[in-house]
Amino acid sequence: MDIGVVLQNDPPARTVVEWARKAEEKGFSHFWTFDSHVLWQEPFVVYSKILDATERIVVGPMVTNPGTRDWTVTASMFATLNEMYGNRTVCGIGRGDSALRVLGLTPQTLGQLRESVRVIKGLGNGERVTVRGNEIQFAWAPDSRLEVWVAAYGPKALAVTGEVGDGYILQLADPDIAEWMITAVRKAAENKGRDPDAIKFCVAAPAYVGDDLAHQREQTRWFGGMVGNHVADIVARYGEGGAVPQALTDYVRARQSYDYAEHGRAGNSHATFVPDEIVDRFCVLGPVENHVKRLQELKALGVDQFAVYLQHDAKDETLAAYGEQIIPAFR
């Protein structure tokens, strides 16, 4: 199992580059960042510096969306980085949340998501694709190779993931929910005539190594609020009739509002509705042995990568614990 790390693009950008360099030294395989250009700095500019400062780590957004950039521009950015640094990128993509909503826009449709994956993946792999009736190809990037991993929760989005995605990103670390989601993606792939075992599965969630569980919960409760944005959309669309596991939808009943100015930040005042039970299930907390046990459960389900949201007050300590004790256990 690969272990990646996820950070926001907070200034100064040089600090983000330094975190990526340290992550590579500790043995992390991937360095992901948010892609929400109003709330944080532009990720693709930072990726260029990260790739220049490292040798093997793979970079990508968790996640971009089809709405803030033309799809051909997104593909061109990936292909350019691949030409410069040797195919060390991955495209995480979803319908869009903070990047669109802070602009007064709504998430893209599943049809737009599906088509954007086709275009970005095709162009990012040197292929000729049809866009708005025109056939185009990056003649300058014949050797670019790009995988597109789709982030999803709802049943129709999971189906799209299985039909077109190279990978699936699930942003929570509950093994029971993960099993349900992974099964849905695999079934959709099989129904489409694809090899379900060829799809890569990435679980992303906050991880905090330490002994003060109460403090760790307060530092990671924001994650349940962030996931709640997507869950609330699912409940509004499908109701509470079992479209997704009830264990995922029940807790958002107490959700009242959300302020994107605090998106993804420890101490988010709009995440107080998230109970301790959800924090414990969605995140990976406690001493090293807790982390190893949870990751072993996820690996047994077929998870290929666990990506650590490193957004709390013990970044260095958690990065070190993963590098020295947890990553070696999964080599």
Side-chain angles (χ1 to χ4, degrees):
M1 176 189 279
D2 287 336
I3 310 291
V5 63
V6 189
L7 278 178
Q8 295 167 328
N9 285 301
D10 286 318
R14 288 185 179 86
T15 300
V16 178
V17 175
E18 180 60 20
W19 277 113
R21 192 189 62 76
K22 289 194 290 186
E24 180 173 85
E25 288 181 353
K26 295 295 184 182
F28 287 82
S29 62
H30 290 66
F31 191 86
W32 305 85
T33 71
F34 284 35
D35 178 13
S36 192
H37 62 285
V38 174
L39 299 177
W40 300 286
Q41 293 181 316
E42 168 57 38
F44 286 92
V45 176
V46 182
Y47 294 157
S48 186
K49 292 295 293 183
I50 289 173
L51 290 168
D52 193 56
T54 57
E55 295 181 357
R56 60 167 184 81
I57 207 161
V58 175
V59 302
M62 189 173 284
V63 294
T64 193
N65 68 85
T68 52
R69 298 181 181 88
D70 185 274
W71 307 337
T72 63
V73 172
T74 300
S76 182
M77 287 188 289
F78 280 110
T80 301
L81 292 173
N82 284 341
E83 187 279 323
M84 293 174 70
Y85 299 105
N87 292 329
R88 291 167 54 201
T89 67
V90 59
C91 177
I93 193 167
R95 291 176 57 224
D97 181 32
S98 63
L100 293 171
R101 284 177 162 140
V102 297
L103 297 174
L105 303 172
T106 57
Q108 297 279 279
T109 68
L110 289 175
Q112 291 168 317
L113 176 60
R114 180 196 299 275
E115 186 66 4
S116 72
V117 171
R118 181 189 67 82
V119 171
I120 293 168
K121 183 163 65 171
L123 291 174
N125 284 285
E127 299 170 4
R128 184 179 297 274
V129 302
T130 301
V131 182
R132 292 182 286 272
N134 296 310
E135 281 198 354
I136 60 173
Q137 183 178 26
F138 297 155
W140 47 267
D143 298 321
S144 175
R145 296 296 176 264
L146 177 68
E147 291 187 349
V148 180
W149 298 8
V150 182
Y153 293 101
K156 292 183 179 179
L158 293 170
V160 169
T161 303
E163 291 166 4
V164 301
D166 296 306
Y168 168 51
I169 297 172
L170 173 60
Q171 295 175 81
L172 56 83
D174 181 290
D176 292 334
I177 295 175
E179 182 176 19
W180 192 96
M181 300 290 190
I182 289 170
T183 298
V185 171
R186 283 178 170 153
K187 182 178 180 181
E190 190 172 5
N191 290 343
K192 193 66 174 179
R194 303 181 70 203
D195 178 4
D197 294 328
I199 298 175
K200 295 179 180 177
F201 294 98
C202 173
V203 164
Y208 191 130
V209 178
D211 296 316
D212 188 346
L213 188 57
H215 178 72
Q216 292 176 47
R217 285 170 175 157
E218 292 312 311
Q219 285 287 302
T220 57
R221 197 176 303 277
W222 62 266
F223 184 66
M226 187 181 82
V227 173
N229 293 330
H230 303 285
V231 176
D233 285 345
I234 293 169
V235 171
R237 185 179 185 94
Y238 298 101
E240 299 183 18
V244 294
Q246 193 171 350
L248 177 60
T249 59
D250 277 356
Y251 83 101
V252 299
R253 291 173 183 165
R255 178 182 182 272
Q256 295 181 342
S257 63
Y258 192 83
D259 184 355
Y260 281 95
E262 297 183 286
H263 190 58
R265 300 196 183 279
N268 185 330
S269 61
H270 295 266
T272 55
F273 71 94
V274 181
D276 288 350
E277 177 195 359
I278 289 293
V279 179
D280 293 347
R281 284 172 36 209
F282 284 14
C283 306
V284 187
L285 311 177
V288 165
E289 52 266 31
N290 287 20
H291 295 250
V292 172
K293 181 177 182 293
R294 180 74 67 87
L295 268 57
Q296 286 174 336
E297 293 178 51
L298 293 170
K299 182 180 178 182
L301 296 175
V303 173
D304 299 285
Q305 180 183 156
F306 177 65
V308 176
Y309 274 97
L310 200 66
Q311 292 161 221
H312 49 62
D313 61 1
K315 293 183 179 68
D316 277 309
E317 295 85 350
T318 295
L319 198 77
Y322 264 76
E324 295 163 11
Q325 300 178 71
I326 299 171
I327 290 176
F330 292 90
R331 284 199 177 118

